[in-house]
Amino acid sequence: MAFAPSPIPSRTQYVLEAIKHGILTGGLSPGQPLVETELAAQFGVSKTPVREALKTLAGTGLVVMSQFKGVTVRTVDAAMAHEVYDVRLLLEPEALRRSLTRRASLEPAREALVKADEAADRAERSLANREFHRALYLPCGNPLLARMLDEVRDQAALVSTVAWAAVPSWEQEAGEHREILRLALAGDTEGAAQALHDHIASFVHRAFPEGDHA
């Protein structure tokens, strides 16, 4: 008999989303300590929901747990950025090819572009951009492939947040998103996949050029 996973308690979910929002807006800086007692007081909860939220965030790669340093926001460097984006380069274009071959609906991707254009801050824009990419790979027909890409989504968002703080290039990326969607809607599977590959590659090389030799 299969058992469904237990839902995350509402207090833990609240703390989880609040910390994630802080990280993805730059309110919580890379390397910043995350102290359970301080966070519990800030959110008006016990330490248990905070501890569970931090464990979940560690699992998605947004925070790091160390026996000596405690919990800190993950630091983004060129090596980390290239690792995450290398996985995306290997998997996302192929997932898009499969989605288009299956004639999946592209309406969710179009809606995500509208959300990104209307975003009020970097966190909303980052979330909309993630929704756009996910809308392209989710209907690929291979649940394992989709889950593998889901696992690096938060880390990719953290890379984007750090990069945008230094070089706010989201307008360029929005234009690239529109071109990917145009090609996909036109039925140009290979063109859309190549445009997606170039989009992912150009972002990480532009934001972290010192890692290009790796």
Side-chain angles (χ1 to χ4, degrees), residues 11 48 65 84 98 105 136 139 165 178:
R11 287 185 180 180
T48 300
M65 290 183 162
V84 171
R98 296 184 180 204
S105 171
L136 298 180
R178 285 190 284 271

Side-chain angles (χ1 to χ4, degrees), residues 52-72:
E52 293 304 313
L54 292 176
K55 286 180 182 177
T56 300
L57 290 168
T60 62
L62 285 185
V63 307
V64 177
M65 290 183 162
S66 166
Q67 181 179 353
F68 304 103
K69 294 183 179 180
V71 183
T72 56

Side-chain angles (χ1 to χ4, degrees), residues 158-176:
L158 179 58
V159 171
S160 296
T161 297
V162 172
W164 284 347
V167 182
S169 58
W170 52 75
E171 288 185 3
Q172 177 177 339
E173 285 129 41
E176 292 169 359

Side-chain angles (χ1 to χ4, degrees), residues 143-159:
L144 178 57
L145 176 56
R147 282 200 302 273
M148 291 172 71
L149 285 165
D150 272 350
E151 287 178 5
V152 299
R153 282 205 312 155
D154 282 346
Q155 294 176 62
L158 179 58
V159 171

Side-chain angles (χ1 to χ4, degrees), residues 95-105 138-142 189:
L96 174 58
R97 285 189 190 94
R98 296 184 180 204
S99 294
L100 296 180
T101 299
R102 299 177 75 242
R103 300 184 183 279
S105 171
L138 190 62
C140 68
N142 185 326
T189 298

Side-chain angles (χ1 to χ4, degrees), residues 30-201:
Q32 181 173 334
L34 298 173
V35 182
E36 285 184 14
T37 51
E38 293 178 0
L39 291 169
Q42 177 183 340
F43 297 122
V45 298
S46 69
K47 289 197 296 183
T48 300
V50 174
R51 187 176 303 119
E52 293 304 313
L54 292 176
K55 286 180 182 177
T56 300
L57 290 168
T60 62
L62 285 185
V63 307
V64 177
M65 290 183 162
S66 166
Q67 181 179 353
F68 304 103
K69 294 183 179 180
V71 183
T72 56
V73 178
R74 184 168 185 178
T75 300
V76 175
D77 57 19
M80 178 268 196
H82 280 265
E83 284 177 8
V84 171
Y85 275 67
D86 189 40
V87 171
R88 295 185 64 194
L89 282 171
L90 289 169
L91 300 182
E92 273 197 52
E94 177 59 25
L96 174 58
R97 285 189 190 94
R98 296 184 180 204
S99 294
L100 296 180
T101 299
R102 299 177 75 242
R103 300 184 183 279
S105 171
L106 295 170
E107 183 59 21
R110 190 195 65 78
E111 292 173 355
L113 288 188
V114 174
K115 286 183 183 178
D117 288 340
E118 297 175 348
D121 58 32
R122 284 207 306 264
E124 284 188 18
R125 187 176 293 110
S126 177
L127 183 59
N129 284 348
R130 292 163 70 204
E131 288 179 6
F132 173 76
H133 282 273
R134 192 169 194 258
L136 298 180
Y137 70 68
L138 190 62
C140 68
N142 185 326
L144 178 57
L145 176 56
R147 282 200 302 273
M148 291 172 71
L149 285 165
D150 272 350
E151 287 178 5
V152 299
R153 282 205 312 155
D154 282 346
Q155 294 176 62
L158 179 58
V159 171
S160 296
T161 297
V162 172
W164 284 347
V167 182
S169 58
W170 52 75
E171 288 185 3
Q172 177 177 339
E173 285 129 41
E176 292 169 359
H177 283 173
R178 285 190 284 271
E179 177 63 8
I180 293 165
L181 183 59
R182 184 190 70 79
L183 291 165
L185 288 169
D188 186 351
T189 298
E190 284 307 312
Q194 185 61 52
L196 176 60
H197 180 280
D198 294 346
H199 164 69
I200 296 169

